[in-house]
Amino acid sequence: MIQRPKGTSDIYLDDMKIWQYVEETARIVMHDYRYTEMRTPLFESFDLFSRSVGDTSDIVSKEMYDFEDKGGRRIALKPEGTAPIVRSYVENKLFGPEYPKPLKVYYLSPMFRYERPQGGRSRQFHQLGIEVLGSNNPAVDVEGMALAWDLLNEIGIKDVRLVINSLGKKEERASYRQALISYLEPFFEELSSDSQKRLHQNPLRVLDSKDKRDKELVKDAPSILDFLSEDSKTHFETVQAMLTALNIPFEINANMVRGLDYYQDTIFEIMTTSKVFGAETTICGGGRYNGLVEEIGGPADPGFGFGLGLERLILMIKQQEIEIPETDELDIYVVGLGEETNLETLKIVQAARQAGYSADRDYMDRKVKAQFKSASKYGAKVVITVGADELEKKIAKFKVMETSKESDVALADIYSNFESVFNTNTTDMTAFNEFFGKE
């Protein structure tokens, strides 16, 4: 039997309802914040990620799905969403005067990383993300964090906390990088093997190592906050003041660095201690990436964004037993009694759908009791029944399930104007339309 690749999932039935609820809620919140959707290819040039994310990052060095296509081009399945958005911004000249400033976009997309599958972490995973391009205003940083915070609140997620830090500008980061290397070198033999490899390539990653020994060693390491310029300090202090003014609780963690090379100034993570993950886990993270647009060949436009992992969010929704609103309502179920009603049943279902109602029927030749059971299971508001006697009389039986009120309706009326059935056979058409939420 052919099985799905390791680290991937099939999403269907009740799980699909949760995914759709999250996606629909996200689109509503994005609209409220005036973000528009952008879609980029699932695969890009390998160079896009090696230049933007960084050759020494785990994503490029260990996790990226890359291959040579039939034209000899080195291609990568996208492991993150920011670089493709920035590439599109540059390639399509979205920085031009005819486009909004700043440009505010969001994406909902699968991503791909070759890593060990575990709770909320897959080789094909899905991200919701935002990118804001063209403004250096710290209010952009705060709006992005507020959006993520509002989205989680709207869905009903509990047990989360916002953690922020600043990495300063490129020059400040370079100075801090050297100070960190100088501090850690005497402890080289005590570092984990991963941190030993990172020390001279990407020493900031040692700060967020999960190894217990590494955590102890970096406790007294120099703080990036001591290396910030006055401009960077002012930016970070303004971010804090704005979060406080919006009553969004936050913590500062000077050891938080994020895993991508393009970040500078404000970075943030929304973390959880939810038991579903077994350890403290980040469900949303991002920050400012001034310099990335220029790195990819565009103008020196600043940027800010975040990515939120949907698999982890779904796990939290299930673990916290958040109620998902019912959107898959069934208006009409058509019951057919006998093989001779097969065509008529189909015609009635189609007439109902064309009139704007959701409708279904039995396709398995079940007995009448089983069909009514299905109608009840799916929460049908109305059941229309057709049997041999009804065919002969050219009528159908109409029943409102909530009131058990029954009446006979003419098939001709159903096909000519579905709603005329209720004008003729119900005493309160207004109440019926309200019942279905129709104008």
Side-chain angles (χ1 to χ4, degrees):
M1 182 177 67
I2 298 175
Q3 296 181 323
R4 57 183 169 80
K6 185 177 181 180
T8 63
S9 300
D10 298 315
I11 306 169
Y12 51 87
L13 298 178
D14 287 344
D15 275 357
M16 195 72 250
K17 292 180 182 179
I18 302 176
W19 280 81
Q20 289 173 341
Y21 167 65
V22 168
E23 291 168 2
E24 289 167 8
T25 303
R27 292 184 192 281
I28 291 170
V29 173
M30 293 299 169
H31 178 268
D32 291 345
Y33 276 76
R34 306 304 296 159
Y35 283 71
T36 59
E37 185 176 9
M38 179 182 280
R39 300 185 184 185
T40 60
L42 290 183
F43 57 91
E44 299 268 3
S45 165
F46 173 89
D47 291 341
L48 172 65
F49 300 109
S50 65
R51 287 175 60 184
S52 60
V53 176
D55 284 324
T56 61
S57 67
D58 285 352
I59 290 176
V60 173
S61 63
K62 297 180 182 180
E63 300 168 356
M64 198 149 63
Y65 280 89
D66 63 281
F67 56 92
E68 190 175 281
D69 70 7
K70 294 182 179 180
R73 293 168 288 262
R74 193 173 181 189
I75 298 296
L77 299 181
K78 64 180 179 183
E80 60 94 36
T82 298
I85 296 289
V86 174
R87 189 268 310 149
S88 179
Y89 180 76
V90 173
E91 183 176 346
N92 295 296
K93 296 182 172 58
L94 299 180
F95 47 80
E98 66 271 34
Y99 297 106
K101 277 281 191 178
L103 184 71
K104 298 165 62 175
V105 301
Y106 75 93
Y107 59 85
L108 277 161
S109 176
M111 309 289 175
F112 305 86
R113 295 184 192 177
Y114 189 84
E115 54 185 351
R116 184 171 63 86
Q118 52 187 292
R121 179 172 291 179
S122 306
R123 291 178 176 173
Q124 176 179 307
F125 59 100
H126 299 77
Q127 265 192 359
L128 163 69
I130 67 160
E131 310 296 344
V132 185
L133 294 150
S135 173
N136 203 39
N137 192 329
V140 166
D141 310 18
V142 175
E143 180 183 86
M145 289 183 269
L147 189 159
W149 197 254
D150 283 353
L151 175 60
L152 295 175
N153 284 334
E154 185 67 27
I155 292 172
I157 293 293
K158 308 295 183 186
D159 186 26
V160 290
R161 61 191 184 96
L162 172 64
V163 183
I164 66 173
N165 193 22
S166 174
L167 298 179
K169 308 292 189 293
K170 187 176 181 180
E171 299 77 13
E172 300 149 35
R173 191 167 169 174
S175 298
Y176 176 64
R177 179 183 187 277
Q178 189 53 53
L180 188 60
I181 291 174
S182 298
Y183 170 81
L184 290 173
E185 277 181 334
F187 304 106
F188 183 82
E189 296 300 329
E190 300 175 54
L191 292 170
S192 66
S193 57
D194 277 348
S195 290
Q196 288 177 355
K197 294 173 186 174
R198 289 168 172 165
L199 180 56
H200 291 95
Q201 293 181 333
N202 196 348
L204 272 69
R205 291 302 314 281
V206 178
L207 295 174
D208 64 359
S209 170
K210 303 300 184 287
D211 185 271
K212 290 182 179 179
R213 292 174 301 169
D214 294 344
K215 286 183 176 181
E216 284 297 318
L217 290 173
V218 301
K219 275 185 178 180
D220 297 321
S223 170
I224 182 67
L225 299 179
D226 294 332
F227 287 76
L228 300 183
S229 66
E230 287 304 314
D231 182 54
S232 296
K233 285 180 182 178
T234 299
H235 189 102
F236 192 45
E237 288 168 358
T238 304
V239 165
Q240 296 172 59
M242 288 180 167
L243 286 170
T244 300
L246 295 181
N247 296 315
I248 298 175
F250 66 91
E251 306 167 22
I252 298 173
N253 180 356
N255 284 348
M256 184 177 70
V257 298
R258 305 287 297 146
L260 309 180
D261 286 358
Y262 52 61
Y263 285 121
Q264 59 176 281
D265 278 321
T266 311
I267 59 171
F268 80 95
E269 293 185 0
I270 297 180
M271 311 182 78
T272 179
T273 54
S274 174
K275 294 179 181 178
V276 71
F277 301 115
E280 188 170 54
T281 300
T282 299
I283 61 171
C284 177
R288 183 161 285 281
Y289 48 84
N290 299 358
L292 180 58
V293 175
E294 197 171 7
E295 174 69 28
I296 294 178
D301 283 3
F304 180 91
F306 72 66
L308 189 156
L310 295 188
E311 277 81 0
R312 293 181 180 183
L313 185 57
I314 301 296
L315 284 174
M316 290 188 70
I317 288 173
K318 291 180 177 179
Q319 189 264 336
Q320 295 181 12
E321 298 181 346
I322 294 172
E323 185 176 352
I324 304 301
E326 182 57 64
T327 58
D328 186 26
E329 295 183 337
L330 178 62
D331 295 330
I332 295 160
Y333 193 92
V334 182
V335 171
L337 309 180
E339 187 177 343
E340 65 272 28
T341 67
N342 193 27
L343 175 60
E344 214 67 44
T345 302
L346 180 62
K347 288 168 64 178
I348 294 171
V349 166
Q350 286 302 101
R353 290 167 178 163
Q354 290 166 9
Y357 301 101
S358 64
D360 206 353
R361 52 156 286 184
D362 176 70
Y363 294 94
M364 305 302 294
D365 298 324
R366 294 183 176 94
K367 301 295 185 182
V368 60
K369 184 177 180 181
Q371 291 189 54
F372 267 92
K373 188 175 181 180
S374 292
S376 178
K377 176 183 177 181
Y378 300 138
K381 297 172 181 176
V382 165
V383 173
I384 296 176
T385 306
V386 180
D389 290 346
E390 285 75 28
L391 284 179
E392 185 176 344
K393 297 175 183 177
K394 296 184 175 11
I395 63 170
K397 292 191 176 297
F398 165 78
K399 180 178 181 180
V400 177
M401 299 297 282
E402 188 176 49
T403 64
S404 296
K405 182 177 180 180
E406 295 187 54
S407 57
D408 292 341
V409 298
L411 291 175
D413 289 340
I414 288 176
Y415 303 137
S416 63
N417 183 346
F418 192 84
E419 293 187 40
S420 72
V421 167
F422 308 101
N423 285 325
T424 303
N425 296 282
T426 62
T427 57
D428 189 355
M429 182 62 186
T430 301
F432 175 82
N433 282 336
E434 288 177 352
F435 181 65
F436 281 103
K438 295 174 71 69
E439 294 182 357

